[in-house]
Amino acid sequence: MMSIPIILLAAGQSRRMGGADKLLQEVDGRPLLRRSAEIARSVAPVIVALPPAPHPRHDALSGLDVLGVPIADAQEGMNASLRGAVRALPQDAQAVMILLADLPDLTAEDLTTVMRAVRDVPDNLIWRGATEDGKPGHPVVFHRDLFPDLAKLTGDGGAQTLVRRHAGRVHLVPLPGQHARTDLDTPDDWNRWRSGRERLRES
């Protein structure tokens, strides 16, 4: 498989959580951020975009074999994280997987499935996880030809401008259920997700 490190985006400010930090909410007995990093690290080397220290998110990753990259201008939005993390990529990286840290249903198998598509369907620039019914989501892999563009993004729109620009060379990779789109931004999101997970365990 190609050399594809994972950038885990975890420098956002959880503005919609009413003062709580969504990435420090516990899932399976550990902070969501640590759990997401452990899942990613089981698949590939991981670079984590983080708020500047001191910050509890650094503590949540203590002891993990990941590269933390503090994002001084994180308040700008997601693209500041992308710029900073892309600069930390190894020179031999053939592509990079961008992974949001607040996607609790994604599994190591899901990440591997998207990675495998890069090898199996190589004539593309972007490979993107999708729901089982075909709605685009995460994670998203970008070919190294797009690294210079990722390093120049500004604002908080993520890499959607690149995805739209290269729409003809985007390959969607279906993942189980809604894994590719279930993110947890608000307390209500968390309550619904926890309730649904509990129902699944009881059924």
Side-chain angles (χ1 to χ4, degrees):
M1 193 172 290
M2 298 168 65
S3 174
I4 305 179
I6 298 173
I7 289 176
L8 186 63
L9 296 178
Q13 300 181 46
S14 292
R15 290 189 180 96
R16 299 169 60 191
M17 280 293 291
D21 189 334
K22 65 181 178 181
L23 298 186
L24 299 181
Q25 300 295 302
E26 284 210 354
V27 178
D28 298 331
R30 58 204 193 277
L32 174 60
L33 172 57
R34 186 177 186 90
R35 179 178 178 270
S36 297
E38 288 174 346
I39 289 170
R41 187 63 190 86
S42 72
V43 175
V46 176
I47 298 165
V48 188
L50 291 163
H55 194 285
R57 291 182 191 172
H58 290 259
D59 299 331
L61 295 173
S62 177
L64 283 187
D65 181 21
V66 298
L67 174 63
V69 177
I71 306 298
D73 47 355
Q75 69 281 357
E76 175 191 326
M78 188 181 298
N79 289 338
S81 296
L82 283 171
R83 290 196 309 269
V86 165
R87 286 195 291 268
L89 286 171
Q91 291 187 349
D92 64 347
Q94 300 302 302
V96 63
M97 173 177 280
I98 308 297
L99 177 63
L100 305 182
D102 63 346
L103 295 161
D105 288 342
L106 283 176
T107 66
E109 184 176 355
D110 294 334
L111 305 188
T112 300
T113 297
V114 178
M115 293 275 198
R116 192 175 295 119
V118 180
R119 179 196 64 195
D120 294 345
V121 194
D123 191 23
N124 293 281
L125 287 173
I126 299 169
W127 299 260
R128 186 173 189 181
T131 62
E132 64 181 4
D133 55 350
K135 294 178 182 176
H138 299 275
V140 186
V141 174
F142 294 89
H143 190 277
R144 65 174 292 117
D145 287 351
L146 299 181
F147 289 2
D149 295 317
L150 288 170
K152 292 185 290 188
L153 291 171
T154 59
D156 194 34
Q160 289 304 314
T161 54
L162 286 182
V163 174
R164 289 192 293 269
R165 187 184 310 161
H166 300 286
R169 298 188 68 184
V170 176
H171 179 74
L172 293 183
V173 184
L175 300 175
Q178 299 296 307
H179 288 196
R181 288 174 67 95
T182 300
D183 60 352
L184 302 177
D185 286 330
T186 69
D188 285 345
D189 291 340
W190 275 94
N191 290 336
R192 282 193 296 271
W193 181 78
R194 284 174 169 143
S195 295
R197 204 175 192 225
E198 192 61 34
R199 285 194 297 273
L200 282 174
R201 284 175 174 167
E202 293 173 352
S203 61

